[in-house]
Amino acid sequence: MGKKSVVSAIDVGTSKVAAIMADAGDENSFQILGVGVAPSKGLRKGVVVNPDEAREAVREAVRKAEHAAGIKMETAYVGITGRHINSVNTKSAVAVTRGDRVVSPGDLKRVLESARTVSTNAERKLLHVIPRTYTLDGQEGVKNPIGMNGFRLDVETHVVTAATSSVQNLLKCIRGLGVDVEDLVLEPIASSEAVLRPDEKEAGVLMADIGGGTTDIAIFKEGSIWHTAVLPVGGYQLTRDIAIGLGIPFEIAEEIKRKYGTLLEIPGDKENVAKIDGASVGLDNGQEILNQDVNDIVRARIDEMMRMLLLELPHADYASLIPAGIVLTGGVANLPGIDSVAADVFRLPVRVGIPKDVYGLADILYDPAYSTAVGLLIWGARRYSEEEGTPDEGVGVVMGKGLRRFVNKAKHWVNL
Ligand SMILES: Nc1ncnc2c1ncn2[C@@H]1O[C@H](COP(=O)(O)OP(=O)(O)OP(=O)(O)O)[C@@H](O)[C@H]1O
Ligand SMILES: [Mg+2]
């Protein structure tokens, strides 16, 4: 039997599917009830390309989480990413309607509704309309205008849309398991929830979640989301480089990367070079692998990835946009020394983000690879507390009713 305060999250990644169930009953924290992880199938660069295969991977992760929690997963917050995601900042305005010119919740609703009318059609679905900042009669930077006096209310929003077909394929594999999708959340936004501090978001910060198939980017400024993007590169490319560079199978290259991959200096001189024992990674032909060769390959690709991140920043004076620097997360952020390579490229502070200390967080989740899953849970727990009547001030995140309707409609497309 389900429990009302249970919040669940499913991160369908290119490398792994992670399902988490938690009790959000306590308004300040939530307690993890169960975690399930399964190797991913049927995904390419963050997008479901084979819903049947993907569903089986999700089924395994969900089953494990349910088993650990001892209850069934009925609904879940689900992450979405991929190159098909589009995000723009838009502006819209309405006249304040009340006779006394005091901004009411109704005005807020109307101004957000008008932001929502942008650029959607049969091929694109609206995922998020996130208010960034309000302007009241020319007074900029208003965080919450309700109760203030004015004639004209402007809002700046971050609007995120996704390709309908990709949304459909993702929904298909979750709904096919009998789990209702509570909300689809853009993965960079979810990861940011788990790893960024409020002071970093206020000052300006870039979060990059480098996963297996995608690099999910979010830039925050003045406490609000400013830019989101998804790049189709990740740890997969690193493994492929090692496999091709050393002439070894992909699976062995993956193991070498995880076990020995590093961006730190490797000890040893010319006479005494550090070598990887081929047999320890399943190579039985006596092939010699030099640590330094792996290091050089990894460094070249990470350096290139960091330069791609740099291109996401709009102008040369990016240091003033993101003085708090870069927070790297996702499985690839486990590479020792990745922070110093990034710092060399950006010349800004860099840290590795691990999911925030949440009460009851299982040990396995203290890993940058779980930032999206934990972030989805934080998002869901906040939604739960809002519905319970304890809204979290300053969050100001609005999800399109349109998407809810779309999710409900999608139930009819999926044969259960
Ligand atoms: N210790 C490690 N050293 C180097 N790379 C690692 C390490 N641990 C994991 N990775 C890499 O991280 C990647 C997986 O990261 P993650 O679990 O965040 O991806 P994902 O969420 O499944 O994929 P995506 O978000 O791209 O859809 C893989 O390429 C994996 O090889
Ligand atoms: Mg991921």
Side-chain angles (χ1 to χ4, degrees), residues 99-167:
D100 57 5
R101 300 293 169 197
V102 173
V103 178
S104 68
D107 294 320
L108 220 61
K109 213 171 144 205
R110 273 189 313 119
V111 79
L112 288 172
E113 283 294 338
S114 66
R116 190 172 285 169
T117 55
V118 296
S119 64
T120 50
N121 51 43
E123 278 151 36
R124 299 212 59 84
K125 286 290 153 204
L126 192 60
L127 280 184
H128 300 284
V129 176
I130 304 174
R132 300 184 54 238
T133 173
Y134 296 93
T135 301
L136 196 57
D137 289 353
Q139 187 197 329
E140 293 177 356
V142 177
K143 286 279 172 208
N144 183 4
I146 293 176
M148 292 173 74
N149 279 76
F151 286 89
R152 178 193 156 112
L153 177 65
D154 291 68
V155 66
E156 232 185 278
T157 47
H158 188 70
V159 179
V160 183
T161 61
T164 305
S165 54
S166 301
V167 172

Side-chain angles (χ1 to χ4, degrees), residues 242-243 245-249 251-257 260-261 266 273-298:
I242 297 172
L246 302 180
I248 56 174
E251 289 68 31
I252 293 181
E254 174 72 21
E255 189 164 349
I256 288 180
K257 179 184 75 173
Y260 302 101
I266 292 172
V273 226
K275 291 186 192 115
I276 293 168
D277 172 12
S280 76
V281 288
L283 275 181
D284 49 15
N285 59 0
Q287 188 179 343
E288 221 175 46
I289 294 170
L290 304 184
N291 262 7
Q292 190 59 51
D293 289 346
V294 177
N295 186 320
D296 290 344
I297 293 169
V298 171

Side-chain angles (χ1 to χ4, degrees), residues 11 187 209 372:
D11 170 19
E187 290 186 12
D209 180 324
T372 305

Side-chain angles (χ1 to χ4, degrees), residues 11-16 46 81 187 209-214 216 234-236 239 254 257-258 261 330-332 334-335 368-369:
D11 170 19
V12 190
T14 311
S15 306
K16 50 119 188 39
T81 188
E187 290 186 12
D209 180 324
I210 314 176
T214 63
D216 298 335
Y236 172 84
T239 305
E254 174 72 21
K257 179 184 75 173
R258 289 186 187 230
V332 174
N334 279 308
L335 271 174

Side-chain angles (χ1 to χ4, degrees), residues 13-67:
T14 311
S15 306
K16 50 119 188 39
V17 180
I20 318 182
M21 299 176 74
D23 191 336
D26 179 340
E27 66 182 70
N28 297 315
S29 65
F30 50 80
Q31 180 152 21
I32 305 288
L33 301 173
V35 179
V37 182
S40 186
K41 278 180 287 192
L43 265 90
R44 197 172 305 136
K45 296 181 191 293
V47 171
V48 174
V49 289
N50 184 334
D52 292 339
E53 272 184 21
R55 187 175 56 237
E56 290 319 302
V58 177
R59 188 194 302 281
E60 190 185 334
V62 168
R63 208 180 263 157
K64 284 180 182 167
E66 287 178 334
H67 184 75

Side-chain angles (χ1 to χ4, degrees), residues 8 16 33 58 75 78 118 135 138-139 147 204 215 231 238 250 320-321 330 362-363 370 373 405 413-414:
S8 303
K16 50 119 188 39
L33 301 173
V58 177
T75 64
V78 177
V118 296
T135 301
Q139 187 197 329
T215 294
L231 306 180
L238 279 171
F250 187 88
S320 65
L321 175 72
D363 278 356
Y370 293 98
R405 273 200 300 272
W413 303 333
V414 185

